[in-house]
Amino acid sequence: MNKEQRLNELKQIYSTLSEDKLKIVTPLIENAVFIESEMEKLQAIIESEGTVDEYQNGNNQFGKKASANLQGYNALVKSYNMINTRLEAMLPKKEKAESKLEKLMNE
């Protein structure tokens, strides 16, 4: 699915929210779609290049460290999870899955 399709899919899910909530949700959705796209690109790079880079500082200092691509990917995952947590909290009531506790309280 391309970015535009994914954006439209998510906007449709939230389309019943009030105008005020849509002002909050829309940039979150746009950021989530962007991050999804970038994560896919980084995943492909990480799969082909690995997760470790070798480095040399000076003449005698060598070592290995997490690749810049992996560090970027990890940062995107954190942001993506935070955005999704906020989006999930704003799901229209009919879309939000009822938890076991909510079911018990509603009986």
Side-chain angles (χ1 to χ4, degrees):
M1 177 180 305
N2 69 35
K3 285 169 63 170
E4 193 65 34
Q5 289 171 323
R6 180 68 173 144
L7 186 62
N8 289 334
E9 177 185 54
L10 291 174
K11 283 184 176 182
Q12 181 63 38
I13 292 170
Y14 292 92
S15 65
T16 60
L17 292 178
S18 70
E19 189 174 325
D20 290 338
K21 286 188 178 182
L22 281 174
K23 288 179 183 177
I24 297 168
V25 166
T26 302
L28 290 173
I29 290 171
E30 291 168 352
N31 283 325
V33 170
F34 170 76
I35 290 172
E36 285 177 3
S37 172
E38 293 304 304
M39 285 172 48
E40 287 177 15
K41 292 175 192 174
L42 285 171
Q43 283 174 344
I45 293 170
I46 291 167
E47 285 176 1
S48 68
E49 297 178 8
T51 59
V52 177
D53 286 338
E54 294 184 7
Y55 68 90
Q56 177 181 358
N57 291 338
N59 291 331
N60 298 327
Q61 191 177 19
F62 296 90
K64 294 181 180 185
K65 64 179 182 174
S67 72
N69 291 321
L70 180 62
Q71 291 174 0
Y73 180 82
N74 287 337
L76 287 176
V77 167
K78 288 178 186 176
S79 296
Y80 185 71
N81 287 334
M82 187 171 45
I83 289 170
N84 278 327
T85 299
R86 290 192 64 202
L87 285 172
E88 184 179 358
M90 297 185 82
L91 274 173
K93 295 298 179 197
K94 66 179 181 179
E95 297 289 331
K96 197 173 185 179
E98 190 175 35
S99 71
K100 290 180 182 180
L101 178 59
E102 290 171 328
K103 287 179 185 177
L104 286 172
M105 291 174 60
N106 291 332
E107 288 181 353

